[in-house]
Amino acid sequence: GDTVSGNTDIIANPTGGSVDSVSFYIDKDGKNVANGTDTSGGDGWRYTWNVSGMAHGTYTIRVTALKNGATITAPSITVTY
């Protein structure tokens, strides 16, 4: 995966219909360590993750979108800090 530092924007680009919200989940060793939900999308669907003070290691990022009443899950990615 990629390497991250400081404030890192995680951006989702859901397509194919009306999007109500996008949720971002960041896991380390199978435990959720950060998350956020963007309900406006006015500046793009994004979550700013501040990795400062977090333990170094590999993190998994999962993103879901609520579209037309259904939850759509994107493939997860891994990053290193």
Side-chain angles (χ1 to χ4, degrees):
D2 291 323
T3 300
V4 297
S5 63
N7 285 331
T8 300
D9 281 335
I10 303 167
I11 301 170
N13 295 307
T15 60
S18 176
V19 176
D20 299 311
S21 65
V22 175
S23 296
F24 303 84
Y25 305 93
I26 300 159
D27 300 333
K28 181 171 182 0
D29 300 327
K31 294 184 172 60
N32 183 254
V33 295
N35 63 359
T37 299
D38 186 343
T39 57
S40 72
D43 60 350
W45 300 99
R46 71 178 61 231
Y47 171 67
T48 301
W49 177 28
N50 183 355
V51 300
S52 301
M54 299 194 86
H56 288 272
T58 300
Y59 291 82
T60 300
I61 299 172
R62 297 178 293 117
V63 177
T64 63
L66 183 60
K67 295 172 46 173
N68 302 318
T71 300
I72 309 300
T73 302
S76 61
I77 62 168
T78 58
V79 295
T80 302
Y81 168 65

